[in-house]
Amino acid sequence: QKEVEQNSGPLSVPEGAIASLNCTYSDRGSQSFFWYRQYSGKSPELIMFIYSNGDKEDGRFTAQLNKASQYVSLLIRDSQPSDSATYLCAVNRDTGGFKTIFGAGTRLFVKA
Amino acid sequence: DTGVSQDPRHKITKRGQNVTFRCDPISEHNRLYWYRQTLGQGPEFLTYFQNEAQLEKSRLLSDRFSAERPKGSFSTLEIQRTEQGDSAMYLCASSSAQGSYIEQFFGPGTRLTVL
């Protein structure tokens, strides 16, 4: 079992729709959770982080965490073509940010 | 430019050769990370420094791989006796120990091709 699992996609949504990206993790001791966006040929950039169960909203992005189910999700509202990228889920065992485990990423296409 | 920089951006080498990559983190960041990323995969953790101390090293990092951060500033990653399986993007990231969470800022990466 992979430590962090994501559906590789591609996930295709029309412009203006909600894109829902999911991630599960295997280590129950995980404490901090991140979503990175990676455009083709570029480096990952952090878009959201979450530590506590529940929802966290930042603009068009909402991260959801359910530690009991070991599940993290990212919702992108009013999806834009510029959101087309690979979204990487990342998990740390502690909040110190030492060893970060990344999923393989989900490719998102937003159709204009 | 105040971001993370990596040099070279591209490296083509023949199997068996040694290569060395350099990473310059954001100046006030005391934490530095190395990752390897292959096509269709997320970054794989290789090693982590806090200041000049190497605190963790992945089992993925075989004896052919070594990383240093001698003065707690820039870091180098050396791969000895390269193999075709070493072909990948090598990413460096840095972060600060300040604040309530740790955001890692990634450099542009060094793409290694082993022929």
Side-chain angles (χ1 to χ4, degrees):
Chain A
Q1 180 187 11
K2 292 183 180 179
E3 293 182 78
V4 178
E5 294 209 51
Q6 297 181 252
N7 187 326
S8 62
L11 174 66
S12 184
V13 300
E15 184 175 0
I18 296 175
S20 178
L21 306 164
N22 305 314
C23 170
T24 59
Y25 59 94
S26 60
D27 185 351
R28 284 199 170 272
S30 298
Q31 297 292 326
S32 51
F33 308 86
F34 304 85
W35 283 99
Y36 284 80
R37 178 176 61 200
Q38 186 172 28
Y39 292 112
S40 181
K42 301 295 185 182
S43 296
E45 56 179 333
L46 182 69
I47 53 173
M48 288 286 291
F49 69 93
I50 187 167
Y51 289 167
S52 304
N53 278 329
D55 295 358
K56 180 180 179 183
E57 185 174 322
D58 183 1
R60 296 187 295 112
F61 299 96
T62 298
Q64 299 174 317
L65 174 62
N66 183 327
K67 289 186 177 180
S69 300
Q70 297 175 239
Y71 176 89
V72 194
S73 67
L74 179 70
L75 300 178
I76 306 175
R77 289 182 299 281
D78 188 24
S79 295
Q80 302 297 310
S82 59
D83 294 326
S84 298
T86 295
Y87 289 81
L88 300 163
C89 174
V91 173
N92 276 355
R93 201 166 207 283
D94 51 47
T95 57
F98 301 147
K99 182 177 177 180
T100 304
I101 305 300
F102 283 82
T106 298
R107 292 175 61 195
L108 173 66
F109 289 110
V110 181
K111 299 175 293 185
Chain B
D1 187 349
T2 57
V4 179
S5 62
Q6 292 186 244
D7 183 72
R9 296 289 304 276
H10 303 274
K11 178 70 177 179
I12 300 174
T13 191
K14 293 182 179 180
R15 188 177 55 184
Q17 298 295 305
N18 299 344
V19 294
T20 300
F21 309 141
R22 176 181 170 123
C23 171
D24 286 88
I26 293 171
S27 59
E28 62 269 25
H29 285 181
N30 64 337
R31 295 178 175 179
L32 188 147
Y33 313 78
W34 284 100
Y35 294 89
R36 179 174 66 186
Q37 187 174 25
T38 53
L39 192 64
Q41 299 299 315
E44 290 179 294
F45 172 83
L46 294 179
T47 191
Y48 157 75
F49 290 87
Q50 180 156 313
N51 299 313
E52 65 275 9
Q54 188 174 18
L55 297 186
E56 188 158 357
K57 183 176 173 179
S58 168
R59 289 189 299 272
L60 292 171
L61 223 61
S62 72
D63 291 342
R64 298 185 298 106
F65 288 72
S66 63
E68 293 182 342
R69 195 182 183 197
K71 297 182 180 179
S73 56
F74 73 91
S75 175
T76 58
L77 177 69
E78 181 183 16
I79 308 174
Q80 296 181 328
R81 304 181 304 282
T82 52
E83 302 173 355
Q84 288 184 324
D86 297 331
S87 295
M89 177 73 83
Y90 289 83
L91 294 165
C92 175
S94 70
S95 70
S96 169
Q98 304 300 317
S100 60
Y101 72 98
I102 305 299
E103 176 177 359
Q104 295 182 33
F105 294 84
F106 282 83
T110 294
R111 181 167 296 283
L112 173 65
T113 302
V114 181
L115 302 177

